[in-house]
């Protein structure tokens, strides 16, 4: 019996959870992975609880992946700090956080990354398990970068058509230059009578349309944060 490698992801919301779920399957191989999606809710003023959103089980799993939706960007780090000891004791070999930069500005990225990377003294011995990635500016930046999916949403969404109505061409621009890509996607969808609202089923549909071959082999080299996340997962697959 081979030992199953356990990896936990803590992400800020369901959009990131859906994306990471698909990315992990693409890199690790869907037949090799058992993936459990969990949602953490409550805390602060109400009792905190977690529930399983879905199971994706493989009978020949080499990897067991747990992806927590923390419900807010500022809870990603705190949930990791709260859970990292018990995850380690339960045999997890990596804990990876993912949150957006938005609504912070690019000027604040370095300070944010430095703060997020810090582990308090009593958890320093867990440092080898822990990485955190800031999606610049948000995970929708990565969607916008893979702009070919827009034609799958509606054939009318050509670069020329979008530029004529919205003043920018998503097929040509640097996606990192856009302040709020989620709002851009909503504006683009509205051109053809749809909307992008981040509802679970809607994000699932969008992520299914993304070309992960292009994301993994081309777009990653244009977006540092995406490349960092992909490289981390690849490294874990190789066992380094």
């Amino acid at each position: 019996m081979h030992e199953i490698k356990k990896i936990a992801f803590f992400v800020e919301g369901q959009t990131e959870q859906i994306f990471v779920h698909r990315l992990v399957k693409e890199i690790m191989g869907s037949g090799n992975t058992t993936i459990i999606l969990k949602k953490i809710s409550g805390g602060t003023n109400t009792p905190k609880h977690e529930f399983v959103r879905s199971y994706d089980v493989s009978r020949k799993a080499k990897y067991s992946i747990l992806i927590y939706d923390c419900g807010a960007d500022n809870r990603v780090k705190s949930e990791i700090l709260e859970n990292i000891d018990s995850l380690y004791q339960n045999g997890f070999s990596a804990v990876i956080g993912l949150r957006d930069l938005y609504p912070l500005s690019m000027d604040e990225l370095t300070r944010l990354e430095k703060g997020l990377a810090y582990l308090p003294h009593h958890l320093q011995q867990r440092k080898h398990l822990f990485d955190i990635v800031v999606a610049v500016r948000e995970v929708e930046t990565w969607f916008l970068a893979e702009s070919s999916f827009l034609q799958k949403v509606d054939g009318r969404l050509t670069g020329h058509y979008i530029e004529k109505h919205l003043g920018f061409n998503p097929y040509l621009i640097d996606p990192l230059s856009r302040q709020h890509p989620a709002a851009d996607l909503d504006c683009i969808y509205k051109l053809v009578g749809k909307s992008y609202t981040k509802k679970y089923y809607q994000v699932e549909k969008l992520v299914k349309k993304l070309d992960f071959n292009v994301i993994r082999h081309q777009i990653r080299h244009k977006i540092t944060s995406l490349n960092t996340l992909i490289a981390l997962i690849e490294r874990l697959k190789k066992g380094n």
Side-chain angles (χ1 to χ4, degrees), residues 6-207:
K6 295 179 170 182
I7 303 159
F9 291 86
F10 288 79
V11 302
E12 71 170 73
Q14 63 188 25
T15 305
E16 291 78 10
Q17 188 180 55
I18 292 163
F19 179 80
V20 170
H21 182 189
R22 172 91 191 271
L23 183 65
V24 166
K25 280 172 78 170
E26 292 285 337
I27 295 172
M28 301 293 203
S30 54
N32 295 328
T33 51
T34 285
I35 301 179
I36 301 166
L37 305 186
K38 286 192 172 188
K39 163 87 175 146
I40 301 169
S41 61
T44 320
N45 302 316
T46 54
K48 192 167 86 166
H49 69 279
E50 58 182 64
F51 64 89
V52 174
R53 191 172 255 155
S54 76
Y55 272 102
D56 194 347
V57 179
S58 165
R59 292 185 180 183
K60 297 178 181 175
K62 295 180 187 173
Y63 311 98
S64 178
I65 314 290
L66 200 48
I67 310 174
Y68 288 96
D69 166 3
C70 300
D73 56 4
N74 59 354
R75 286 183 55 172
V76 172
K77 173 85 178 280
S78 58
E79 291 296 345
I80 289 172
L81 296 183
E82 214 170 289
N83 288 281
I84 198 166
D85 260 339
S86 64
L87 288 167
Y88 175 74
Q89 282 149 19
N90 281 294
F92 279 76
S93 55
V95 178
I96 298 167
L98 173 65
R99 58 156 289 174
D100 293 351
L101 175 64
Y102 183 86
L104 300 176
S105 71
M106 293 290 272
D107 295 342
E108 296 171 274
L109 175 62
T110 305
R111 184 182 58 81
L112 176 65
E113 286 181 328
K114 200 173 175 184
L116 290 171
Y118 173 77
L119 279 181
H121 183 71
H122 72 284
L123 291 174
Q124 283 294 318
Q125 73 272 29
R126 306 282 176 252
K127 206 172 176 64
H128 65 289
L129 298 182
F130 168 67
D131 280 285
I132 197 155
V133 178
V134 178
V136 180
R137 302 180 181 257
E138 51 190 344
V139 76
E140 282 85 1
T141 306
W142 303 347
F143 300 170
L144 207 56
E146 204 294 273
S147 47
S148 72
F149 87 90
L150 293 168
Q151 294 262 275
K152 298 173 195 168
V153 172
D154 192 293
R156 289 171 288 173
L157 291 174
T158 62
H160 176 74
Y161 183 77
I162 295 166
E163 187 164 23
K164 183 180 156 191
H165 290 90
L166 299 178
F168 75 97
N169 182 339
Y171 298 86
L172 299 177
I173 53 141
D174 173 3
L176 295 173
S177 68
R178 304 301 298 174
Q179 298 288 330
H180 192 2
D184 286 337
L185 286 176
D186 192 36
C187 290
I188 292 167
Y189 273 48
K190 280 184 170 139
L191 294 177
V192 290
K194 301 173 191 270
S195 62
Y196 176 70
T197 60
K198 287 182 175 260
K199 286 194 170 118
Y200 198 87
Y201 75 91
Q202 191 182 37
V203 176
E204 272 193 319
K205 270 172 76 175
L206 187 160
V207 169

